[in-house]
Amino acid sequence: MFQPRPIVSMYFPPFLVVTLMGTFKVLVGTMALTDMKIRNAKPEAKQYKLSAGLGLYLVISPKGGKWWRIRYRFGGKQKELSLGTYPTTTLKSAVLKRDEIRAMVADDIDPAVERKTEKLYKHAASENSFKAVADEWFTKFSSEWSEQHKQRTIGRLRNDVYPWLGSKVINTVTAPELLMVLRRMESRGAIDSAHRVRQICSQILRYAIATGRAERDPAADLVGALPPAKKTHFASITEPKAIGELMRAIQGYQGSYITACALRLTPYVFVRPGELRQAEWNDIDLENAEWRIPAERMKMKVLHIIPLSKQALAIFEDIKPLTGRGKYVFPSNRTLARPMSNNTINASLRRLGYTKEEMTAHGFRSMASTILNEQGWNRDAIERQLAHSEKNGVRAAYNYAQYLPERKEMMQAWADYLDGLAKGADVIPIKSNS
């Protein structure tokens, strides 16, 4: 029986028919590959492929996973690259990536080598990012800082700097970019914090220069770019009659005995609140009437000596039977293992009826500084007793005992003056002649 031959075979030889039909199937398969077809592709017992044409294909694994691959030839060798998984990488995205790779090959660039180079660059960039260098700087230098300073510094970096500059290669950070970070802080009224963040960034950038990862410090260009920070003065009482009233209120405090002793001691020694609450018995020399605070617990990281007046000594002797067997002079009311809260003195002043606008724990320092200067005591001795910063760090390390005889005389005169005001007297202590 006569069987009609396919039209194609009537005009082309058999071997060409096979080639044309294969090409036709590939073209039809490519044209037919759609997102719907991909979504509907079911896993089979063995891995199989769906071609998207021009070397791009989708692999379907027996477990149902689908990932894109592309084959290309470079330097006479067959090569293959992964282009991501479906549906994260869509058909459209995969086709765009395929076309980019084909364009690179046409420009005599090996996509595999280019991808490896880019990966190495990204790795190097992440190691030299602002955040990576800043974290390294923080780890290296923060071991000597107080816990409060540590938390404040890393908090400023995490909240105000890292979100905008953290991922940038540190050597590419510019002054305008850093200024935008500071302007955001300025816009919410945190001008003092903005100045401090500029200083922190400058330290980080100088560290990057020292370690060969930056060439200059753009933060230095921003000096003067922000409005001056408003100096905040701690509320303090400096009028003698009011000081007398405060001293009488302190002497009549009815709270816990530990808190009462700490509150009574504060005006006599006028140390920073954190230094008072962390006072340790090992630092107190009752025999020589001295309190020596180690450098690591001082803001300026220099040993500080407080000559103890007779009044201050009496307070230490009063509380020693209660807390002397522990570490802290003024432990927490909840546990002897920790010092009292950093807000204890302020809370006590509020309990006595003094608002934060009238008096603070830090205000006793301003009180002493104001009155002692008015009374004519040596300004340098006062500054040394307040443990204010010495610009020359080396000099400061050796000058902790500077003016010590005069300071001993001054501290006793100061305590006597306070007691005189508490009794209602108009006390004018003898000025130092040294």
Side-chain angles (χ1 to χ4, degrees):
M1 181 183 292
F2 173 77
Q3 292 183 352
R5 296 172 61 190
I7 295 175
V8 174
S9 65
M10 292 174 63
Y11 298 99
F12 299 98
F15 76 90
L16 189 55
V17 170
V18 173
T19 302
L20 288 171
M21 292 300 289
T23 302
F24 179 75
K25 287 181 179 179
V26 170
L27 289 172
V28 171
T30 301
M31 292 170 60
L33 189 57
T34 63
D35 276 320
M36 182 174 290
K37 184 174 181 180
I38 295 171
R39 286 196 300 270
N40 293 334
K42 305 299 182 184
E44 297 180 0
K46 292 185 178 181
Q47 175 179 294
Y48 68 97
K49 305 170 185 176
L50 294 177
S51 175
L54 300 176
L56 177 66
Y57 61 92
L58 186 71
V59 177
I60 314 295
S61 76
K63 293 184 178 180
K66 301 172 183 178
W67 63 90
W68 295 102
R69 290 190 178 278
I70 183 171
R71 285 178 179 166
Y72 66 95
R73 293 189 67 81
F74 190 88
K77 294 182 179 179
Q78 183 84 6
K79 295 194 172 186
E80 191 173 82
L81 282 178
S82 172
L83 299 184
T85 60
Y86 183 90
T88 303
T89 301
T90 64
L91 173 60
K92 183 178 180 180
S93 297
V95 169
L96 289 174
K97 289 182 179 181
R98 176 199 66 191
D99 294 344
E100 289 173 4
I101 287 173
R102 287 173 58 80
M104 291 171 65
V105 173
D107 289 338
D108 203 29
I109 299 172
D110 187 348
V113 174
E114 187 71 9
R115 179 178 287 187
K116 187 176 293 186
T117 302
E118 183 179 357
K119 188 175 181 180
L120 289 172
Y121 174 79
K122 286 182 178 179
H123 178 69
S126 66
E127 287 190 335
N128 294 326
S129 69
F130 186 95
K131 182 181 183 302
V133 177
D135 286 346
E136 183 181 316
W137 165 83
F138 181 83
T139 301
K140 189 175 183 67
F141 295 102
S142 64
S143 60
E144 299 298 320
W145 302 349
S146 68
E147 189 61 31
Q148 186 179 21
H149 184 53
K150 283 182 187 178
Q151 295 302 321
R152 190 162 46 230
T153 300
I154 198 64
R156 284 170 172 157
L157 287 170
R158 288 171 179 167
N159 297 329
D160 297 310
V161 182
Y162 288 170
W164 291 275
L165 299 181
S167 61
K168 283 189 65 69
V169 176
I170 196 164
N171 198 38
T172 67
V173 173
T174 65
E177 289 173 331
L178 183 54
L179 182 60
M180 288 300 294
V181 167
L182 303 179
R183 290 281 191 231
R184 289 186 185 93
M185 301 178 69
E186 180 190 349
S187 68
R188 68 173 192 259
I191 297 176
D192 183 65
S193 292
H195 280 279
R196 294 182 184 276
V197 164
R198 189 204 66 78
Q199 294 169 356
I200 293 169
C201 290
S202 185
Q203 291 174 338
I204 293 167
L205 287 157
R206 292 200 302 272
Y207 175 72
I209 294 170
T211 54
R213 287 173 285 186
E215 297 172 2
R216 62 182 307 278
D217 171 17
D221 300 334
L222 301 180
V223 174
L226 293 170
K230 294 180 181 178
K231 289 191 175 181
T232 56
H233 297 281
F234 293 99
S236 179
I237 294 172
T238 57
E239 197 275 318
K241 184 177 180 181
I243 293 175
E245 293 173 354
L246 174 62
M247 292 299 296
R248 289 192 292 273
I250 288 174
Q251 290 169 4
Y253 181 77
Q254 298 297 311
S256 80
Y257 187 68
I258 292 174
T259 301
C261 287
L263 185 59
R264 285 166 47 209
L265 181 67
T266 300
Y268 293 132
V269 294
F270 51 87
V271 294
R272 295 178 179 88
E275 295 157 5
L276 179 82
R277 77 183 189 88
Q278 295 185 77
E280 297 182 11
W281 280 112
N282 287 338
D283 307 330
I284 311 300
D285 185 347
L286 296 178
E287 185 176 345
N288 292 307
E290 283 186 353
W291 174 10
R292 293 187 169 225
I293 306 179
E296 60 268 20
R297 293 209 304 276
M298 290 298 299
K299 181 179 180 180
M300 301 309 168
K301 302 305 175 187
V302 176
L303 172 67
H304 183 47
I305 301 175
I306 299 106
L308 298 176
S309 62
K310 294 175 183 177
Q311 291 88 332
L313 273 174
I315 294 170
F316 279 115
E317 288 169 350
D318 282 349
I319 198 174
K320 189 170 184 181
L322 180 61
T323 67
R325 286 191 289 271
K327 177 180 180 180
Y328 296 106
V329 178
F330 306 112
S332 166
N333 287 327
R334 297 178 180 176
T335 171
L336 297 178
R338 292 201 306 269
M340 67 182 189
S341 165
N342 59 3
N343 199 42
T344 300
I345 301 300
N346 278 329
S348 302
L349 289 169
R350 305 298 161 261
R351 186 171 177 178
L352 290 174
Y354 289 90
T355 68
K356 64 181 180 180
E357 288 76 27
E358 293 174 316
M359 191 62 187
T360 64
H362 211 288
F364 289 101
R365 292 171 59 77
S366 300
M367 175 197 292
S369 177
T370 300
I371 301 297
L372 290 171
N373 274 290
E374 287 178 355
Q375 292 178 350
W377 291 90
N378 183 336
R379 183 179 182 279
D380 291 332
I382 297 170
E383 290 297 293
R384 177 60 60 196
Q385 196 54 57
L386 288 164
H388 281 164
S389 61
E390 166 68 63
K391 291 182 179 179
N392 186 320
V394 175
R395 182 181 169 190
Y398 291 99
N399 286 358
Y400 56 84
Q402 194 176 27
Y403 308 110
L404 193 55
E406 183 175 1
R407 286 158 54 194
K408 287 181 179 179
E409 180 186 353
M410 180 179 72
M411 295 298 279
Q412 185 59 57
W414 172 246
D416 292 341
Y417 175 76
L418 292 176
D419 284 1
L421 293 179
K423 293 174 183 176
D426 184 12
V427 178
I428 303 177
I430 298 174
K431 297 179 182 180
S432 172
N433 295 318
S434 56

